[in-house]
Amino acid sequence: MSKEHKKKNVFIQGAISPAFIGDSIAKHSTKTEIGAHSIFLGQVRNDILDGKEVAAIEYTAYTEMADEVFHAIREETFAKYPLTCMHMYHSIGVVAAGEISLFVFTSSRHRADALEACTYIVNRIKAEAPVWGKELFTDGSHTWKANT
Amino acid sequence: MSKEHKKKNVFIQGAISPAFIGDSIAKHSTKTEIGAHSIFLGQVRNDILDGKEVAAIEYTAYTEMADEVFHAIREETFAKYPLTCMHMYHSIGVVAAGEISLFVFTSSRHRADALEACTYIVNRIKAEAPVWGKELFTDGSHTWKANT
Amino acid sequence: MTITVLMFGRIAELTGAQRQTLHDIPDTNRLQQHVTQMYPDMANLTYSIAVNTVMIRENTALTDGDTIALMPPFSGG
Amino acid sequence: MTITVLMFGRIAELTGAQRQTLHDIPDTNRLQQHVTQMYPDMANLTYSIAVNTVMIRENTALTDGDTIALMPPFSGG
């Protein structure tokens, strides 16, 4: 591995705010070698399951293992794609329907690298990050989310 | 075509601000059927060409034709992918290095649709939108941008 | 008959005009000949042509009131 | 020897615990048997196992101080 990227904190308590995302974008204006940014946002849906409506998702994680998984994803993505920057944030705790719980942000000189890397990262997070979503219904009951 | 989507104004005078992007994201919190957003941003690079540094790009467009092209891309993307929303913005006029000149935003229930549609739209805009970038160098001279 | 010719990017720079009104030009091939005669450097440029905002790929007859755009390769985004 | 067992999601709910300390369990197969004996509904759950944060795919010997995580299918993002 030619570069070493420090372990960063991925988990954010509660929802990820649109203003935080706007600020993250703004911070890249000094990196004038960037030509393309790709951003993925996961938003909590108010799914109806057996007639009950999802009001929020409560996320828990095995944070010790998750930190290692996110670090591996980061290193392997930088090895695979020529990126200038990459950022990943995942909510922990309760996130209401309509709020954002996942934020993946890749930047590169040319568009294909940022676009492909972003999809690659999102798919790996969904498959490998030890995180669990508990869907909280409006009636106070709950179920455990299953990723598709 | 099952849905009709009204022609929207795509062109924005000057750079697209990160705060505008944050606000656009925030507006989607009421659309609780959305599970995934994909965003592409084009940022002006300070490329060095024959020893001269790009300070800004000045965009001009054949707006009458561009409106039709953007409308066709919008309709064809909605026909091809099950999206909840899609937005496209392109700068016109001068955008400095480090600033954003293209903003494509797709939203869907499941991640694959938003991700694939966003890439599809960006590639179509680059290939089909009658827009020209004049790269303005720091020394006052210029060249005409070529898309890769 | 009268047509309006729109020029963009490098072509507008080369011709010094963004818009010209021309008369009695029956088709797009004749328009290209006319433009190249006026501005010989046009022969070295790659460009596409739209008639009334629709891209054309072969010689197209022109009628009164048509708007023809001479467009260098796009470089938006 | 002593091991720490971490439980997440549906499994933590089923067992009523997020963490348990167990003694003299030589390998992960024996751990699964023990857990299923204590909580018979575990037999109906799909889950994977990590030993010291590393996912395992077959029976793995355990040593003093190991941390074993019982993890239902991930559903982050």
Side-chain angles (χ1 to χ4, degrees), chain D residues 18-66:
Chain D
Q18 297 184 326
R19 170 187 291 261
Q20 282 190 14
T21 303
L22 297 176
H23 303 279
D24 301 322
I25 293 190
D27 59 41
T28 53
N29 278 0
R30 226 68 69 86
L31 174 63
Q32 288 188 274
Q33 287 160 19
H34 173 83
V35 170
T36 308
Q37 230 163 11
M38 298 274 291
Y39 310 100
D41 288 347
M42 283 291 287
N44 305 318
L45 294 187
T46 303
Y47 60 96
S48 38
I49 297 177
V51 176
N52 301 325
T53 75
V54 177
M55 295 276 267
I56 59 153
R57 308 218 175 275
E58 46 194 43
N59 188 30
T60 300
L62 299 174
T63 56
D64 191 52
D66 279 351

Side-chain angles (χ1 to χ4, degrees), chain B residues 59 62 65 68 90 101-102 126-133 142 144-145 147, chain C residues 6 8-10 13 50 52-55 67 69 71-77:
Chain B
Y59 290 101
Y62 181 10
M65 179 173 163
E68 292 182 13
H90 197 299
S101 60
L102 176 63
K126 294 263 184 186
E128 298 174 33
V131 176
W132 296 273
H142 72 264
W144 291 94
K145 188 170 175 269
N147 268 358
Chain C
L6 303 179
F8 295 96
R10 191 192 295 276
E13 186 175 53
N52 301 325
T53 76
V54 176
M55 295 277 267
T67 299
M71 306 184 293
F74 305 149
S75 53

Side-chain angles (χ1 to χ4, degrees), chain B residues 104-115:
Chain B
V104 175
F105 187 1
T106 53
S107 308
S108 57
R109 289 186 68 77
H110 301 290
R111 69 184 182 280
D113 298 316
L115 286 163

